[in-house]
Amino acid sequence: MKDLVAGIKYDAAKVIEQAVGPSKEFCMGYMNPGTPNGQGYISTMKLSVGTVDVKDLDVVTENIVSYDRCEKNDAYIGQINMLTVSSFCGQNGAVWGYDLAVHEDIATGKEKSMYMQEQPDGKPAIPVYNARPLLEASERLFGREGQRRFPPMPGAHVICANKDVTARGPVWVWSAIGIAILKNRSDGSCLFIEDANTYGDDSTTEAEIIGFLEGSLRKVTNSIVLCGQDQSVEYDRIYVGYKYTFVEPNQVGCALTCAPYIYLAQNAIPEGMKAADLKGMPIDEWEKKLGLEHLTMIE
C-alpha cells in the first residue's frame, strides 16, 4: 500500500479549496453533479436517537418516522436521500471540526484522553478522546431543527458511512461512532467505525446501559487498531462516542450513526476569504466571521 501512495503528499488546504459546492445556502452531497471546484470533500460526524409512538402507524411507517427523527435530531440532515458507502476519509477529504473550523477543545489542547488503546506487536498505545467536539462541530455547521445554518439541501443525495438500528420497546437503542486520525495523512485514510444495536429491556437501568456502552467503545477502538494493522497504517489518535435512549413499550426507537461526506455551502466561507483559509481556523472564529447567532447545544 505504501508503495502505491509514495510521493502523494496530503494537503488539507488544497482539499478544502476543492470542497465547495454549487449552492450558496446548502451543503451538498459529495459527488453530486454541478460541483465547480474540484474533487475534495468534507467529512462530518453525527449520532442521533429518536422514538415514535406506534399509535395509528404500521410496522413500516413507524420505522420510517423514527428514522427520520434521527436525521432531524442533533446535527440537522433532515429530508435527504442518504446513500451508504464505506468508512474512510482519505487524501481528498478533510474532517470538519479537526482539519478546518477546529473545535475549541481540540484547537486549545483542552481535550483529555479517556484511555489508551493498546496495539498489537508492542506498538505504542493510541490515546482515545471523546468524540463530542467533532459531533458538536457538525451541529454548528448544519445547525439544528429550528436553528438551521448550512444543512444539506433538501432532497440532495448524500453519501454517508452509516449504520442504524430500529426496535420496538421495551428496549434500549444505541449508536456509536469512532474516527482514527492517521499519524501521517499522506500514508492513507483516516478510518470511521460505526456501530448500532439494542440492549436490555424495561428492567435495565441507565447505569447498566452506560456500563455496557463504555465497554462497547473498547470494542470499537480495538477494531480500529486491527484495521490499521491490516492496512499497515499508524493512527495518532482516536475519537469515539455514543448515544442511547429507552424505547417505551408503546414506541419504536431508532439509533443512527453516520458520517456524511459533503461539499460546503458557498455562504459557509466568510466574505473576503478563500475556503482554504478555514484550515486550522477555530470554529468560534468561523462563527464570528459569519455573524452566526448562538446555537443552543443539547447534551
Side-chain angles (χ1 to χ4, degrees):
M1 177 179 174
K2 290 189 176 181
D3 289 338
L4 292 176
V5 300
I8 300 175
K9 182 174 176 57
Y10 177 76
D11 185 342
K14 182 177 179 180
V15 168
I16 297 163
E17 190 66 31
Q18 295 181 350
V20 181
S23 172
K24 291 183 179 295
E25 298 85 3
F26 298 103
C27 291
M28 293 293 291
Y30 180 54
M31 297 180 69
N32 279 199
T35 303
N37 291 330
Q39 299 183 17
Y41 60 85
I42 305 300
S43 292
T44 58
M45 293 171 58
K46 172 180 169 68
L47 284 176
S48 295
V49 291
T51 60
V52 59
D53 294 339
V54 299
K55 181 181 178 181
D56 299 327
L57 296 173
D58 60 23
V59 173
V60 173
T61 54
E62 64 196 19
N63 289 0
I64 291 171
V65 175
S66 63
Y67 187 90
D68 281 3
R69 287 185 178 174
C70 281
E71 288 189 328
K72 69 92 176 173
N73 288 343
D74 309 294
Y76 182 79
I77 60 168
Q79 306 178 78
I80 65 168
N81 297 299
M82 186 183 295
L83 309 176
T84 300
V85 295
S86 193
S87 309
F88 296 94
C89 179
Q91 303 204 356
N92 58 338
V95 180
W96 182 267
Y98 185 83
D99 294 311
L100 69 163
V102 186
H103 190 278
E104 297 91 342
D105 290 357
I106 298 174
T108 63
K110 178 181 177 182
E111 57 182 354
K112 303 297 181 183
S113 62
M114 299 187 295
Y115 61 91
M116 301 296 291
Q117 172 62 48
E118 297 297 326
Q119 294 200 82
D121 303 327
K123 293 181 180 179
I126 305 171
V128 178
Y129 299 92
N130 195 318
R132 181 195 58 80
L134 298 178
L135 296 168
E136 184 178 293
S138 293
E139 292 187 44
R140 292 163 74 173
L141 171 62
F142 297 139
R144 302 178 63 89
E145 168 55 23
Q147 289 182 290
R148 301 182 198 180
R149 287 183 167 179
F150 306 106
M153 178 181 285
H157 291 71
V158 182
I159 59 175
C160 305
N162 70 87
K163 287 183 174 62
D164 65 272
V165 63
T166 303
R168 183 184 288 259
V171 72
W172 295 84
V173 294
W174 59 269
S175 56
I177 197 166
I179 183 172
I181 307 295
L182 282 175
K183 277 188 176 181
N184 183 346
R185 299 287 286 276
S186 297
D187 280 349
S189 294
C190 298
L191 169 68
F192 286 107
I193 293 288
E194 311 87 36
D195 201 359
N197 214 323
T198 62
Y199 184 76
D201 53 30
D202 51 2
S203 67
T204 305
T205 67
E206 185 170 15
E208 288 175 322
I209 181 68
I210 290 174
F212 167 78
L213 289 171
E214 290 295 324
S216 293
L217 289 188
R218 301 280 180 155
K219 296 176 182 179
V220 168
T221 55
N222 189 53
S223 70
I224 285 173
V225 298
L226 292 174
C227 288
Q229 182 184 38
D230 290 344
Q231 305 298 330
S232 301
V233 295
E234 294 186 56
Y235 298 120
D236 178 69
R237 55 178 54 206
I238 300 170
Y239 291 90
V240 291
Y242 58 77
K243 285 192 177 180
Y244 61 90
T245 193
F246 181 68
V247 186
E248 299 288 348
N250 61 340
Q251 293 181 327
V252 165
C254 182
L256 171 68
T257 170
C258 68
Y261 300 101
I262 55 121
Y263 296 123
L264 291 173
Q266 294 175 15
N267 288 348
I269 313 303
E271 187 175 355
M273 299 184 66
K274 300 181 297 183
D277 296 332
L278 297 183
K279 177 182 177 294
M281 177 184 289
I283 195 167
D284 56 343
E285 182 180 344
W286 171 76
E287 290 175 320
K288 289 176 182 177
K289 288 183 178 295
L290 289 173
L292 295 171
E293 294 182 1
H294 177 70
L295 186 67
T296 302
M297 305 305 298
I298 301 175
E299 294 295 330

